[in-house]
Amino acid sequence: MASVERDPLLLLRQSIASDSAILPTASDDLAAPEVPLSQATHLTFTSPIRISLPINTETRFISNDAPVDLRSIYLTWAKRNLAIPEYNAAASQLNDELGDKGQVHKFAFVERLDLITWLEGGPGSEYIKPLASDTDGSAAAAVQATQGAVAPTSGAKLGRSGKGTLDPRLAVIYNGERKMGDRNTVLRGIKPTDFSHVRKFAAQFMSKKPQQAEATKTTSSALPTHQKPRRPDPIILLSPSASSLLKMSNIKKFLEDGVYVKPDSVSASSTSHASMLHINRVIKEIDPSKPMRFVLVEGTEQFKPEYWSRVVAVFTTGQSWQFKNYQWSNPTELFRHIPGIYVGWKGDTVPDAVRNWGHRVSSFAVDPVKQSVYRKGEAMAVDNSRWRDREVVERIWNTIEGNMRSKGWRRDHAPTSI
């Protein structure tokens, strides 16, 4: 197994965190120019140290009981914004260009999502085998040392957890540290001191400002954490029904731009066969500083059990077979946990099933597309009546955002159950 400094996954994750260059090269020369991935024999990292690794180096990412090579990992990161079909096409093209020089591994949906999340700074992945030194925490300390972080104080040979052998390089760093006392050693004097009067004096202030005290307690408990865990992206489920007005090809334009176009029109996006999409939306009540990314999918075949706590809305056409593979296959039970959204044509009757499912399924109507401005296979002319779509979209987002706030979504926190 690779050492901490030469571990490909750690080097790639640190380079992404520092926004440093990652260059495919045709030799191990650190000054070699960048070449196409099909011609590369090495991958050169510029941070935290400048190092060049063979591009066919095996990594700790395990797929089908076999380690995945560095070239496949780098390709997945470079194509992270592509949908699954487009990513598979890019991998197949690279395999054709490589010929007998090697083949890249095509990641499954769940593997690819876990890898990208981990590289962006997310929590550990079940597919990534830990380093041998991770059992005693020395690997994490070594990474902190390379980034200039201050490691905890210790001069012992054992790891700080009391198990395993301490890395000699970390022992040198720890021995040079200045040992400092904590609040207990600082307050300890030559004789016992009674501070009960201070506690009584402070009680009157703490009782007047319970909210401020609670905020201080929360802040203090969070101090030992150097890096907050990344909040997972919320998920919106679409209906796979052929009668649905919103599909993968036109949902992005509808929810982001506030304009409805037919799924098979030229104005719709070219992602009609994509299995996953990303859209961005600023939710001021949750995080006004930056847009929140939403994941849009039609099917739940690749869902893990913990993904269901991230689902914030379910688009439906009123057909109950849509929920067959859901965690809650009964519509009434499903919509107790997740709000439902039905979108139909203005003037059409809402299906009886949707009405019977209760108030947790909200119905919205869009104006029909005028035939005079729409022809299949041709670009759509300007339809001045589509300005009403923005109002419908905002009402849909208000429903989703209201549910997210009630479920406990915050800027750096997502609910663990719904």
Side-chain angles (χ1 to χ4, degrees), residues 160 185 192 200 415:
R160 298 200 169 187
T185 58
K200 295 178 181 178

Side-chain angles (χ1 to χ4, degrees), residues 18-307:
S18 60
D19 199 19
S20 303
I22 308 169
L23 308 174
T25 60
S27 70
D28 59 355
D29 185 358
L30 296 180
E34 183 177 4
V35 298
L37 191 57
S38 59
Q39 303 174 14
T41 60
H42 289 74
L43 200 62
T44 300
F45 299 92
T46 58
S47 175
I49 58 175
R50 195 170 187 90
I51 186 173
S52 183
L53 298 179
I55 203 161
N56 58 356
T57 302
E58 293 183 348
T59 68
R60 294 180 288 114
F61 194 99
I62 306 300
S63 177
N64 297 326
D65 298 325
V68 180
D69 63 287
L70 181 56
R71 182 193 286 115
S72 302
I73 298 290
Y74 176 75
L75 174 67
T76 302
W77 171 252
K79 305 297 183 182
R80 62 191 180 279
N81 292 323
L82 297 182
I84 289 292
E86 297 169 0
Y87 159 73
N88 288 335
S92 298
Q93 180 181 353
L94 180 57
N95 284 335
D96 294 339
E97 296 172 355
L98 288 172
D100 57 358
K101 292 188 294 185
Q103 297 285 294
V104 295
H105 173 76
K106 294 182 182 179
F107 288 89
F109 171 80
V110 177
E111 293 177 341
R112 181 169 178 249
L113 182 62
D114 269 23
L115 175 60
I116 294 174
T117 301
W118 185 84
L119 290 175
E120 289 178 340
S125 167
E126 63 179 287
Y127 298 100
I128 298 178
K129 186 177 180 181
L131 289 166
S133 52
D134 279 351
T135 55
D136 59 83
S138 60
V143 174
Q144 290 181 350
T146 60
Q147 296 176 339
V150 178
T153 304
S154 176
K157 298 293 183 181
L158 293 177
R160 298 200 169 187
S161 63
K163 301 182 292 183
T165 304
L166 184 64
D167 191 311
R169 292 164 298 180
L170 294 180
V172 174
I173 296 174
Y174 296 160
N175 290 334
E177 292 178 348
R178 176 183 176 186
K179 296 183 179 180
M180 302 182 67
D182 56 16
R183 61 184 181 87
N184 293 321
T185 58
V186 170
L187 291 175
R188 187 180 296 117
I190 59 175
K191 62 180 181 179
T193 304
D194 183 11
F195 289 100
S196 59
H197 65 286
V198 177
R199 183 175 58 188
K200 295 178 181 178
F201 180 75
Q204 55 182 322
F205 299 99
M206 296 176 67
S207 60
K208 291 181 180 179
K209 300 179 180 180
Q211 295 180 349
Q212 182 178 351
E214 182 67 22
T216 304
K217 180 180 179 180
T218 304
T219 304
S220 301
S221 63
L223 286 178
T225 305
H226 297 285
Q227 184 178 4
K228 294 182 178 179
R230 178 178 175 272
R231 183 205 63 218
D233 298 329
I235 298 174
I236 297 177
L237 287 175
L238 303 182
S239 171
S241 173
S243 62
S244 176
L245 301 187
L246 296 171
K247 298 180 178 296
M248 297 297 281
S249 58
N250 64 346
I251 186 64
K252 186 178 181 71
K253 189 173 185 66
F254 184 67
L255 291 182
E256 280 195 338
D257 301 338
V259 177
Y260 177 81
V261 295
K262 284 194 172 182
D264 56 351
S265 67
V266 177
S267 300
S269 66
S270 59
T271 57
S272 58
H273 300 292
S275 60
M276 178 178 66
L277 288 177
H278 293 110
I279 63 172
N280 296 300
R281 168 83 176 184
V282 176
I283 303 181
K284 297 181 180 180
E285 289 78 3
I286 296 178
D287 188 357
S289 61
K290 62 180 180 180
M292 179 178 291
R293 188 172 73 167
F294 290 77
V295 180
L296 278 69
V297 293
E298 281 187 346
T300 60
E301 294 79 8
Q302 304 293 339
F303 260 39
K304 294 182 180 180
E306 59 267 25
Y307 287 0

Side-chain angles (χ1 to χ4, degrees), residues 10-22:
L10 282 180
L11 287 171
L12 184 58
R13 186 181 189 184
Q14 293 169 11
S15 297
I16 293 170
S18 60
D19 199 19
S20 303
I22 308 169

